[in-house]
Amino acid sequence: MSEKLSTLIRERRSVRKYDPSVKIEKEEILQMLEVATKAPSTSNLQPWEFLVFVDPEERKDLRTIAYNQEQIETASAVVAVLGDKEFYKNVEPVYESMVEAGFIDAATKEVLIGNANKTYPYASEEAMKNMATFDAGLAAMQFMLIAKDRGYGTGTMGGFDKVKFSERFHLADRYFPIVLIAIGKENAQSYQTTRLPIKDKVKFI
Ligand SMILES: Cc1cc2nc3c(=O)[nH]c(=O)nc-3n(C[C@H](O)[C@H](O)[C@H](O)COP(=O)(O)O)c2cc1C
């Protein structure tokens, strides 16, 4: 592992105090998400969407929904990571773009679509949500490390009312909220955390 990657991972921590005067351009957030979503996903069906909160008015309501966590309003932005429980509906654009890029041929595309259509539409909602949650989590983690690399702090929040969130921000039925990620400039050091010994968590068999 490179020194740089190791330092980024070791020094990331959840930031809860932000400098409220710092703005991050939408374009920069988009670029970070573009790289973050190079994450792997189930059949490459990319079961994630992101609702990026920059507007102060919208964030007042979001703060209430997130049990008054102050970083909702003081961070430069809050990225809501959404899962897509009907991600098999992405088959056509996903596999067609791989054909257009010259990575697969048209026959392979049809095989991939056939495989996806044989499986995912028959999976339970719970299974679909689990797959989407895991995949979106991979992208979310990459986003946090990319943000750290660019000098920003981030903080994941699972503490919010997911039903109220879906209602207030009019999520279509196929999408569900997973976490909120605050992003901005840290203005007071958060406490550090430890991890249990890795040897207690790993078994080689
Ligand atoms: C899914 C998830 C939900 C979390 N929810 C909250 C939250 O609602 N509020 C908060 O302040 N921190 C929240 N955290 C941050 C954790 O408390 C934090 O990651 C953990 O204590 C380890 O600290 P570190 O991130 O600084 O390494 C959450 C983290 C995860 C992964």
Side-chain angles (χ1 to χ4, degrees):
M1 186 183 340
S2 76
E3 192 67 29
K4 191 173 180 209
L5 180 61
S6 168
T7 303
L8 267 181
I9 294 172
R10 288 179 189 282
E11 292 188 352
R12 182 215 56 83
R13 68 183 69 131
S14 292
V15 174
R16 299 178 178 91
K17 298 279 178 198
Y18 291 90
D19 178 346
S21 68
V22 173
K23 298 261 173 296
I24 306 180
E25 294 297 324
K26 289 180 190 169
E27 190 51 43
E28 187 176 5
I29 295 175
L30 204 57
Q31 276 175 18
M32 289 191 274
L33 288 171
E34 195 267 329
V35 181
T37 53
K38 298 296 177 193
S41 64
T42 306
S43 298
N44 193 29
L45 291 172
Q46 306 159 49
W48 46 59
E49 296 257 321
F50 306 93
L51 200 53
V52 184
F53 289 80
V54 287
D55 182 79
E57 281 307 309
E58 300 281 351
R59 282 206 262 165
K60 280 188 187 140
D61 278 5
L62 182 59
R63 180 171 174 168
T64 308
I65 288 168
Y67 310 123
N68 200 31
Q69 298 195 62
E70 72 167 52
Q71 61 268 41
I72 298 282
E73 286 193 276
T74 55
S76 305
V78 176
V79 178
V81 179
L82 312 179
D84 177 1
K85 60 188 179 194
E86 295 175 17
F87 58 79
Y88 53 85
K89 293 183 175 166
N90 296 338
V91 282
E92 182 58 38
V94 166
Y95 298 137
E96 178 54 29
S97 71
M98 285 159 64
V99 173
E100 280 166 19
F103 296 154
I104 58 171
D105 57 25
T108 306
K109 170 188 157 183
E110 292 312 318
V111 171
L112 291 174
I113 290 180
N115 290 344
N117 284 340
K118 259 187 269 169
T119 315
Y120 303 120
Y122 306 102
S124 68
E125 179 171 317
E126 188 191 2
M128 294 302 284
K129 283 181 89 170
N130 284 344
M131 285 185 266
T133 303
F134 183 85
D135 294 354
L138 296 175
M141 186 68 247
Q142 300 215 109
F143 176 73
M144 288 187 266
L145 291 178
I146 292 163
K148 174 89 186 154
D149 188 47
R150 291 169 98 118
Y152 298 120
T154 56
T156 304
M157 287 163 277
F160 64 103
D161 186 322
K162 299 185 173 74
V163 173
K164 283 194 183 139
F165 181 97
S166 302
E167 284 166 7
R168 169 63 184 81
F169 301 109
H170 315 291
L171 297 196
D173 197 42
R174 67 188 269 193
Y175 299 107
F176 62 98
I178 301 171
V179 287
L180 308 173
I181 304 177
I183 178 169
K185 286 277 182 196
E186 185 175 18
N187 79 349
Q189 281 251 315
S190 323
Y191 57 81
Q192 296 190 49
T193 58
T194 54
R195 297 297 182 267
L196 297 172
I198 191 64
K199 63 178 172 35
D200 296 346
K201 297 280 186 186
V202 180
K203 277 198 186 79
F204 291 93
I205 55 172

